[in-house]
Amino acid sequence: MKKVVLLDDERISHLILNRLSNDSQLDWQIRDVYFWDEASRLLQNQAFDLVLADVHLQNHQQVWTLLEGMESRKQNVPVVIITAQADEATLRESRRYSMVRAVIEKPVPLSLLPQIN
């Protein structure tokens, strides 16, 4: 079973991604997190296989702060950025972090989950 952190401040995103992972029969244990600082503490104290993170939380900088912290701690957990607006600035910023594997626009297509897995 893969341990996944889902960081998003929108409850509907959590419902959709949990449902999609169940429907596609992925063996994921999703930990729903709504705030970047909670995700940071969780990643410091437990091992995870994947982080799915929304860029546009309450403060846009917070996701980048989380990624900077992960890099400084040399955490090599793959991160997939999920966002409603994958603009050029988001793509450019995400390339700065070695752990970011992809940027995907919401809603996440069911067909991509096996590839993310």
Side-chain angles (χ1 to χ4, degrees):
M1 177 168 289
K2 290 191 179 182
K3 292 176 65 177
V4 178
V5 173
L6 173 55
L7 171 60
D8 198 317
D9 59 351
E10 294 180 18
R11 189 171 209 57
I12 190 71
S13 294
H14 289 273
L15 294 171
I16 290 170
L17 278 167
N18 276 282
R19 178 68 184 257
L20 287 174
S21 68
N22 289 336
D23 288 352
S24 58
Q25 298 178 350
L26 297 176
D27 197 18
W28 284 5
Q29 177 186 7
I30 295 178
R31 178 70 183 264
D32 293 305
V33 179
Y34 295 86
F35 304 100
W36 78 271
D37 54 342
E38 181 185 1
S40 181
R41 281 191 304 274
L42 198 60
L43 288 162
Q44 287 178 42
N45 296 316
Q46 296 180 38
F48 286 90
D49 301 302
L50 175 66
V51 175
L52 300 172
D54 184 13
V55 165
H56 299 288
L57 299 171
Q58 294 145 352
N59 176 347
H60 183 71
Q61 279 302 96
Q62 293 175 336
V63 163
W64 308 126
T65 302
L66 173 69
L67 296 178
E68 287 169 12
M70 290 174 68
E71 276 197 349
S72 71
R73 291 186 302 274
K74 308 233 185 293
Q75 291 178 293
N76 195 23
V77 180
V79 175
V80 174
I81 300 292
I82 52 175
T83 180
Q85 300 170 332
D87 57 17
E88 187 58 39
T90 300
L91 295 172
R92 188 173 38 255
E93 186 69 15
S94 69
R95 288 186 204 112
R96 292 183 49 220
Y97 303 96
S98 61
M99 77 280 290
V100 175
R101 301 295 192 259
V103 176
I104 299 173
E105 282 195 312
K106 289 180 184 179
V108 176
L110 179 63
S111 60
L112 282 183
L113 290 180
Q115 292 176 27
I116 293 171
N117 191 44

